[in-house]
Amino acid sequence: MKMNKRLFKDFLFKKIVILFSIITLIPLFLILFIIVKNGVSAINIDFFTKLPKPPGEKGGGILNAIVGSIFLVIIASILAIPFGVTVGIFLSEVKNKFTETLKVLVDVLQGVPSIVIGIVAYIWIVKPLKSFSALSGGVALGLMMLPIIIKSTQEALYLIPFSLREASFALGTNYTKTILKVILPAGLSGIASGILLGIMRIIGETAPLLFTAFGNSFLNLNPAKPVDALPLVIFNYAMSPYPEWHKIAWGAAFILILLIFILNIIVRKVIKRWKVQF
Amino acid sequence: MRKDRFFKMVLWVSGILFTLIILSILIYLFKGSYLSIKTFGLKFLVNKIWDPVNEQFGLLPFVVGTLLTSIISLLLALPFSLSLAILLGVFYKKGFLNKFLSYATELLAGIPSVIYGFWGLFFLVPIMRKIEIKLGILPYGVGILTASLILSIMIIPYISLISKEVINMVPQDLIEAGYSLGATNWEVIKKVIIPYSRSGIFAGVLLGFGRAFGETMAVTMVIGNSNFLPKNIFSPSNTMASVIANEFTEAVKDIHLSSLIQIGLWLFLLSIFINFIGEIVINKMKVKGEK
Amino acid sequence: MESTILKIRNLNAGYQNKWILKDINLNIEKNKVTAIMGPSGCGKSTLIRCINRMHEITPGAIFKGEIYLDDKNIFEMPPSDVRKRIGMVFQRPNPFPTMSIYENVIAGYILNGIKIKKAKMDQIVEESLKKAFLWEEVKDTLFRKGTFLSGGQQQRLCIARSLAMNPEILLLDEPTSALDPKAQAMIEELIVRLKENVTLVLVTHNRSQAARASDYTAFLYLGELIEFGKTEKIFTTPKNKKTEEYLTGKFG
Ligand SMILES: Nc1ncnc2c1ncn2[C@@H]1O[C@H](COP(=O)(O)OP(=O)(O)O)[C@@H](O)[C@H]1O
Ligand SMILES: [Mg+2]
């Protein structure tokens, strides 16, 4: 009798765990379903090639935001990738009190809420230049990307066996070339997937752009001027009272999700294909 | 070698530069909030009125809003996260179901918060409105509970992925010893796995909390943006992050902007604090692992 | 005929604050194979890693004494020059995983920024692979990654990579201990052939390998050079009791 109760408890427990896990995924499918349902119908050629129309008018597109998002990602990457990879090398090459502290600081930056990053970029760039700008948005996104790149570089290099370094030194190679031409390429898959994960993270970031990139209904490639972005379009149009604009927001959300999905697939491919065998 | 010395110097400079960036974040946030700190002092933290028109600025409504949304969302997320972690870490350690659920969880973690907010606004808010009508309260639809629901969906992947990893770190022989004594799944989980991985799960929960209290967009879109102290969990409210998102670009007065920056400063310090505790917990766990 | 290419004088080396090698004095003869034997942990690797200044890349490494290569002290030369002239093959094959077989062989030139014509490169690659008995096996797959080769092939690739730099001395640190018997025999044969062109120093704790492949043998015990001489002599009439015990398999 006691045995039965134990086994029943176990049976019930497993069922509950499975039930809860399935419930967890319901929102995911709801979100994806609604975005696809509302988003696909909003999308046509104009959506990618035209600028937005004023409220009330039909048609128009979000070319400004698509170009803007790409522009912001490029600025952020230029700022964050070389710097982040260098810091990552530093952390994996040098071990002392300073680098131990530095590792903690990297975690600190990763934990800073994105809205605070926005404030910082505002104080650093928007205030002195007296204008919202693509540059300030790029700086904010770059700051968000930085810890991801540093960590993935450091972790990728950490995994590389010491014997590789020996092989290089034994040929008379100097330290610089050993790091840049032997160690770094061997860690490339980890570093590249870190970079892609970083881009995946920032492409959907909205909060740090609210008062930096700000948004712009025209096409802009001047880093000193405001620029639009996909997540900003989603936010601004979703919060607007016009149903036509909501439709555009769904379309933008669909494109954003699609982009993230594609990046996710590329990351997996990169990890698999570029994986270096030792 | 001159080249090597130059290269090493570049490495050091990058490390120092990074440190300076973090320092400068702190310094500039402090500088930006200085006017507000000087004007209100510690009263800023306990004042329950936030009134830009009359230049009265107090943090309390947003602290309450932040704590309520974070804690409710954690409580909501916890059973689901742990179920998912146990499913992936104990019942289905391999195979199709594991792959599928892991991937879906990762996807859930990758959805931008603005999309969660958007979805919340058009899907969750109408539902909440209906519920509120049934309950006979003011049917805002938006409010603390709505925001907490969205937040809980957003933090479930974080907590469950970390918990799963921690559960995977439980030595297999301990688990097998449990089973060989005739223990059921439930008993092994309760008596072996949970005690062993408790501090790691706590670290995951802490990380989830860190995400919840700093989360901006999703909350901003569904919390109702009210600067008054909330009366109950259905009340519209604002969190520290959402009030910044809401008012920053409209703040014309210096003292208003400075007060918003001060909120940012507190968010920054809080995130460091949480990180610090997380660090301690993880170090403790490492020590335990070595024993 | 006999000429000394390398003279080790009063060499001491160790890690952190612990000296492992004590006052080593040893001559390495040109175009001969010198085997270094001794029980595991006695300092064989430390010794040969001093010879091409690889010892000092280990964090905490300490050393003093002199090593003369053609009468010049290597500790007064730039380490990269020493390493270009004295190549090294390690216990575990370590081809560069990101490089093809071809690039692996020519890696010393690429990594040192030595510019040579493509035709010359092709020639060096072919010659080095032939010297390392690997050409026939890989000539059709030169542009595949070196890490796809078997362990024995990888080790020969590493030998080819060293030979491509035309070193005067080649140091081999237990090059066959991670390989299967067939691959071992092949590398052993290779070592004997190579001494026409290059001086070899072979660390091994395989007694019969030393007997078969080497001209001279040095016996190292607890960081001290106990005995050194012609291999036949050492194996037939060892002077030191420790050497005899080791060679007859009493320890190690
Ligand atoms: N990196 C190191 N740090 C500290 N001690 C070391 C290191 N490498 C080797 N040793 C020590 O030096 C001694 C000699 O090692 P080694 O030269 O590798 O011996 P062998 O090659 O003869 O087996 C050993 O006692 C070993 O423990
Ligand atoms: Mg050794």
Side-chain angles (χ1 to χ4, degrees):
Chain A
M1 197 54 214
K2 200 169 175 224
M3 196 63 195
N4 276 345
K5 207 172 150 196
R6 265 183 72 211
L7 289 182
F8 179 72
K9 212 167 160 189
D10 193 49
F11 170 82
L12 198 68
F13 172 67
K14 188 168 176 178
K15 286 285 171 295
I16 289 175
V17 163
I18 293 175
L19 181 72
F20 272 40
S21 301
I22 290 170
I23 292 176
T24 310
L25 293 183
I26 291 176
L28 174 68
F29 292 110
L30 276 177
I31 292 172
L32 292 182
F33 173 73
I34 290 178
I35 288 175
V36 172
K37 191 185 114 205
N38 293 325
V40 170
S41 63
I43 289 173
N44 48 41
I45 298 286
D46 280 1
F47 199 72
F48 294 97
T49 56
K50 293 251 163 69
L51 292 176
K53 292 258 169 69
E57 280 181 49
K58 276 222 168 328
I62 54 163
L63 177 67
N64 55 332
I66 295 171
V67 173
S69 267
I70 295 171
F71 190 38
L72 285 169
V73 167
I74 290 175
I75 297 175
S77 301
I78 291 172
L79 293 172
I81 294 174
F83 181 44
V85 171
T86 315
V87 177
I89 297 174
F90 179 57
L91 287 179
S92 80
E93 283 298 305
V94 182
K95 300 259 175 305
N96 57 27
K97 278 255 161 63
F98 176 55
T99 51
E100 283 309 306
T101 318
L102 199 54
K103 276 180 199 159
V104 177
L105 291 184
V106 174
D107 284 334
V108 164
L109 184 58
Q110 189 155 35
V112 175
S114 56
I115 189 87
V116 179
I117 300 281
I119 296 181
V120 172
Y122 175 88
I123 300 176
W124 279 353
I125 319 250
V126 178
K127 240 168 123 184
L129 293 185
K130 295 191 175 65
S131 163
F132 298 113
S133 60
L135 178 67
S136 59
V139 167
L141 296 184
L143 277 177
M144 308 225 52
M145 234 178 144
L146 205 48
I148 303 174
I149 294 175
I150 293 174
K151 282 189 160 178
S152 59
T153 304
Q154 182 203 334
E155 270 157 32
L157 299 190
Y158 178 77
L159 292 175
I160 293 167
F162 191 73
S163 64
L164 221 56
R165 182 182 294 255
E166 288 184 319
S168 175
F169 280 132
L171 290 168
T173 317
N174 62 30
Y175 179 76
T176 312
K177 287 245 171 78
T178 299
I179 299 298
L180 295 181
K181 292 199 165 172
V182 176
I183 306 294
L184 213 51
L188 200 62
S189 114
I191 297 171
S193 56
I195 289 171
L196 289 170
L197 284 176
I199 291 176
M200 217 164 102
R201 162 137 193 235
I202 63 168
I203 195 132
E205 275 296 343
T206 320
L209 299 181
L210 291 174
F211 26 91
T212 54
F214 190 72
N216 185 342
S217 44
F218 298 99
L219 212 53
N220 169 40
L221 286 176
N222 179 350
K225 291 258 170 65
V227 73
D228 221 321
L230 281 171
L232 278 178
V233 162
I234 299 172
F235 178 61
N236 289 327
Y237 283 37
M239 301 299 274
S240 80
Y242 316 111
E244 311 91 89
W245 278 21
H246 295 161
K247 219 171 140 123
I248 291 180
W250 287 118
F254 178 71
I255 292 175
L256 189 56
I257 287 279
L258 203 64
L259 263 173
I260 289 170
F261 197 68
I262 292 170
L263 276 169
N264 193 304
I265 291 172
I266 297 177
V267 171
R268 278 155 195 276
K269 279 258 147 63
V270 162
I271 291 175
K272 244 198 209 142
R273 280 284 281 284
W274 292 8
K275 184 106 203 143
V276 173
Q277 278 200 307
F278 297 108
Chain B
M1 295 286 307
R2 211 150 26 119
K3 227 174 143 189
D4 288 347
R5 225 175 302 148
F6 175 74
F7 181 67
K8 278 188 185 149
M9 206 179 72
V10 170
L11 294 186
W12 273 91
V13 167
S14 76
I16 293 168
L17 195 62
F18 187 87
T19 314
L20 291 179
I21 287 176
I22 303 297
L23 276 180
S24 116
I25 289 178
L26 184 63
I27 291 169
Y28 276 96
L29 283 176
F30 188 76
K31 241 179 89 185
S33 4
Y34 187 68
L35 178 64
S36 156
I37 293 173
K38 203 180 65 185
T39 313
F40 303 117
L42 283 177
K43 229 190 101 206
F44 184 78
L45 302 180
V46 289
N47 189 353
K48 60 177 201 268
I49 292 170
W50 178 276
D51 181 1
V53 180
N54 294 312
E55 300 195 9
Q56 272 256 54
F57 295 102
L59 188 64
L60 198 61
F62 313 126
V63 172
V64 173
T66 307
L67 281 179
L68 279 177
T69 46
S70 308
I71 291 171
I72 295 173
S73 67
L74 263 186
L75 291 179
L76 287 171
L78 216 49
F80 295 99
S81 310
L82 290 185
S83 293
L84 202 54
I86 289 170
L87 194 79
L88 296 175
V90 183
F91 290 137
Y92 297 95
K93 286 181 84 116
K94 286 194 199 76
F96 171 76
L97 197 65
N98 182 298
K99 272 217 176 106
F100 174 74
L101 288 176
S102 300
Y103 187 63
T105 318
E106 247 178 72
L107 217 56
L108 209 52
I111 294 178
S113 64
V114 69
I115 289 184
Y116 278 109
F118 190 17
W119 175 74
L121 198 59
F122 284 80
F123 184 82
L124 221 50
V125 168
I127 294 177
M128 286 304 282
R129 203 171 280 145
K130 274 187 202 130
I131 293 174
E132 282 163 352
I133 289 173
K134 281 244 169 75
L135 291 176
I137 40 182
L138 269 182
Y140 293 110
V142 292
I144 288 179
L145 189 62
T146 318
S148 305
L149 274 170
I150 295 267
L151 277 178
S152 69
I153 298 171
M154 292 176 72
I155 59 179
I156 284 172
Y158 289 85
I159 304 179
S160 53
L161 287 176
I162 291 185
S163 305
K164 181 191 85 174
E165 271 169 34
V166 182
I167 288 176
N168 279 336
M169 272 156 51
V170 179
Q172 196 60 35
D173 45 334
L174 269 187
I175 296 175
E176 270 156 24
Y179 282 123
S180 71
L181 289 174
T184 59
N185 286 318
W186 161 245
E187 285 157 354
V188 167
I189 288 165
K190 198 175 126 194
K191 296 265 166 60
V192 181
I193 294 177
I194 300 283
Y196 193 90
S197 46
R198 197 161 35 200
S199 53
I201 292 173
F202 179 70
V205 170
L206 208 64
L207 192 93
F209 182 75
R211 260 197 71 90
F213 92 84
E215 175 50 47
T216 313
M217 295 322 293
V219 173
T220 305
M221 291 166 88
V222 299
I223 201 168
N225 307 115
S226 155
N227 293 344
F228 299 104
L229 266 181
K231 291 195 183 62
N232 55 44
I233 57 169
F234 292 99
S235 305
S237 174
N238 247 338
T239 63
M240 291 162 73
S242 73
V243 71
I244 301 174
N246 241 316
E247 300 188 359
F248 203 88
T249 48
E250 290 150 20
V252 276
K253 294 177 188 156
D254 283 349
I255 184 72
H256 189 186
L257 198 67
S258 176
S259 296
L260 289 169
I261 296 177
Q262 191 184 160
I263 299 180
L265 176 64
W266 285 111
L267 278 175
F268 181 68
L269 295 177
L270 244 134
S271 71
I272 293 179
F273 179 68
I274 289 181
N275 207 286
F276 189 69
I277 296 185
E279 197 82 10
I280 292 173
V281 171
I282 286 169
N283 282 341
K284 262 211 187 123
M285 206 168 55
K286 273 187 197 147
V287 174
K288 190 173 127 196
E290 277 156 13
K291 251 192 244 167
Chain C
M1 261 303 282
E2 305 270 288
S3 72
T4 304
I5 184 168
L6 193 89
K7 296 187 191 111
I8 301 173
R9 293 293 174 262
N10 305 319
L11 181 73
N12 291 268
Y15 305 92
Q16 275 82 36
N17 35 30
K18 195 169 153 248
W19 291 99
I20 304 288
L21 295 179
K22 292 156 204 135
D23 273 325
I24 304 287
N25 284 282
L26 179 66
N27 286 355
I28 304 290
E29 301 301 324
K30 197 168 177 173
N31 291 86
K32 299 285 184 230
V33 180
T34 303
I36 296 176
M37 298 189 67
S40 150
C42 69
K44 304 180 296 291
S45 296
T46 307
L47 174 60
I48 71 159
R49 289 167 67 90
C50 283
I51 297 176
N52 67 343
R53 298 192 60 176
M54 285 293 284
H55 177 57
E56 61 208 72
I57 71 165
T58 314
I62 48 173
F63 56 97
K64 62 180 190 220
E66 296 100 47
I67 297 177
Y68 296 98
L69 174 63
D70 288 339
D71 296 323
K72 269 196 76 182
N73 188 353
I74 62 161
F75 294 115
E76 283 157 14
M77 296 161 41
S80 64
D81 288 3
V82 177
R83 293 176 196 147
K84 271 176 233 162
R85 291 173 64 184
I86 307 178
M88 186 167 216
V89 174
F90 299 84
Q91 187 167 356
R92 296 199 150 272
N94 52 2
F96 296 121
T98 51
M99 297 185 189
S100 65
I101 293 171
Y102 185 99
E103 289 168 322
N104 257 290
V105 178
I106 207 74
Y109 293 82
I110 303 175
L111 294 174
N112 281 293
I114 302 168
K115 298 234 156 46
I116 43 171
K117 290 226 174 65
K118 177 79 172 64
K120 176 85 179 145
M121 237 193 253
D122 291 347
Q123 190 197 337
I124 292 174
V125 170
E126 184 173 340
E127 273 175 12
S128 308
L129 285 170
K130 278 181 174 158
K131 278 191 212 157
F133 292 177
L134 190 57
W135 175 251
E136 288 303 322
E137 289 158 60
V138 301
K139 63 180 180 197
D140 301 319
T141 53
L142 283 178
F143 296 99
R144 284 196 67 187
K145 292 259 182 295
T147 37
F148 284 115
L149 298 171
S150 73
Q153 288 173 320
Q154 285 191 19
Q155 194 61 300
R156 279 178 279 147
L157 178 60
C158 292
I159 293 175
R161 179 175 69 189
S162 291
L163 292 176
M165 299 296 285
N166 262 318
E168 293 156 55
I169 302 176
L170 187 60
L171 310 170
L172 303 114
D173 190 354
E174 304 196 28
T176 62
S177 66
L179 306 179
D180 61 88
K182 225 178 122 196
Q184 270 188 32
M186 193 154 193
I187 302 239
E188 236 176 80
E189 192 189 335
L190 171 59
I191 289 169
V192 176
R193 294 268 195 99
L194 280 175
K195 66 182 177 185
E196 273 174 41
N197 303 308
V198 58
T199 306
L200 295 113
V201 180
L202 171 67
V203 168
T204 175
H205 60 216
N206 179 334
R207 297 165 182 85
S208 51
Q209 182 172 69
R212 280 192 302 265
S214 71
D215 304 294
Y216 292 89
T217 295
F219 179 65
L220 214 57
Y221 185 70
L222 293 177
E224 289 184 59
L225 184 63
I226 301 272
E227 197 164 353
F228 175 68
K230 283 243 161 75
T231 299
E232 318 120 49
K233 278 237 174 98
I234 297 258
F235 274 78
T236 50
T237 51
K239 289 196 204 94
N240 191 292
K241 204 162 157 276
K242 277 282 170 227
T243 318
E244 191 184 335
E245 277 175 19
Y246 180 77
L247 291 176
T248 50
K250 293 240 168 67
F251 65 91

